[in-house]
Structures are given as C-alpha cells and as structure tokens.
Amino acid sequence: MQQPTYRSRRDPALVTVEGDLDLASSRRVRERLGAALDESAGGLRLDLGGLAFCDCAGLNLLLELRCRALDQGKTFTVHAVGPAVGRLFDLVGVRELLSSPPPGRTDARRACRGAVPPRVPASPEDEDGVRPRLLVSCVSEPA
C-alpha cells in the first residue's frame, strides 16, 4: 500500500480516520498521523466519525500524538466521533481533553505529563464545508 500524502492550505489540517484503531493497526496509524502532524504548520483536527472501534492502544496513540503536537507548539483536536468511540472517551474522561484546544501552553504540558485529564459532534465535514485531506484506514492485519 502506498503511503498517503498530506497537503493542505488549512491549518490545523483535517484528517479522517476510519475502521478499527487497535493494537494491530496503531503502528501504521502512528506513522501516518505523525507524518501529517510533522507536515502541518498548525496541527491536526481528527474526524473519527468513521472509527468503529478503538481499544486502549488506539486511545494511547491519540493521547501520545496530542502530547507530541503540544510539544511542537501545534494543536491536536478531535472534532467528530461515532457512538462507540464517544462512549470510550466518556468512560475514560478524555472527551473534553481531545475535543477542544488547550487553554494555555502550561496547562497543556501538565496534562501530558500527569494522569489522563477529564472530558465531540459527528460530521463528515469541517464546519465550513471542507472535506478532509487525508484518510487513514485502520484495518487489522492477521498476525
């Protein structure tokens, strides 16, 4: 499979992730989202509306990428989730953490270093009607 390329004049870039985000797919997704984050000047906005399943490895990946973005002075937010992933975010208490930009650099860095801090609409488009530039498909591969 050819590695997707990321190009956008919008920053932060809107990226869609679909399928299952689990231990089997997290390495590949980490590479793709990491590359998109590196190429983006302002950060990433994720559309997880098509994500059917997310386990603890997938959630850890999202939190790790958020911390990486904040360390680079960029944003990392989730603007749409499906019901299953939204329930996970609520149960773990990360919905607000992932759905809004950090209030300040100091607070954001503290959130990355400590325990997972507390608490996303479903839309395939950004609020101004722009479609995502990168689609990451998470398909588990047989071991």
Side-chain angles (χ1 to χ4, degrees), residues 3-15 32 35-41 43-44 130-135:
Q3 199 78 326
T5 57
Y6 157 77
R7 301 238 188 280
S8 177
R9 292 182 178 187
R10 298 174 40 88
D11 259 325
L14 179 61
V15 178
R32 292 180 180 174
L37 179 62
D38 291 343
E39 293 179 25
S40 169
L44 299 179
V130 176
R131 300 297 263 167
R133 298 287 182 206
L134 172 67
L135 172 65

Side-chain angles (χ1 to χ4, degrees), residues 23-74:
L23 183 60
S25 65
S26 63
R27 182 174 149 241
R28 198 176 23 191
V29 174
R30 176 181 283 107
E31 291 170 2
R32 292 180 180 174
L33 289 180
L37 179 62
D38 291 343
E39 293 179 25
S40 169
L44 299 179
R45 292 189 60 213
L46 297 184
D47 178 346
L48 304 180
L51 196 60
F53 175 77
C54 182
D55 68 4
C56 60
L59 181 59
N60 283 333
L61 167 63
L62 295 174
L63 294 171
E64 172 191 316
L65 285 169
R66 179 182 183 273
C67 289
R68 181 174 158 188
L70 294 174
D71 283 344
Q72 295 176 12
K74 299 177 182 180

Side-chain angles (χ1 to χ4, degrees), residues 44-138:
L44 299 179
R45 292 189 60 213
L46 297 184
D47 178 346
L48 304 180
L51 196 60
F53 175 77
C54 182
D55 68 4
C56 60
L59 181 59
N60 283 333
L61 167 63
L62 295 174
L63 294 171
E64 172 191 316
L65 285 169
R66 179 182 183 273
C67 289
R68 181 174 158 188
L70 294 174
D71 283 344
Q72 295 176 12
K74 299 177 182 180
T75 62
F76 184 89
T77 58
V78 175
H79 86 103
V81 296
V85 176
R87 186 165 193 276
L88 172 66
F89 285 7
D90 289 339
L91 287 171
V92 177
V94 297
R95 184 180 287 261
E96 287 180 15
L97 175 71
L98 293 174
S99 65
S100 60
R105 184 102 175 113
T106 306
D107 292 343
R109 292 190 118 192
R110 184 175 52 232
C112 286
R113 291 191 184 129
V116 177
R119 330 243 142 240
V120 183
S123 168
E125 298 180 340
D126 198 350
E127 54 267 0
D128 45 352
V130 176
R131 300 297 263 167
R133 298 287 182 206
L134 172 67
L135 172 65
V136 178
S137 184
C138 311

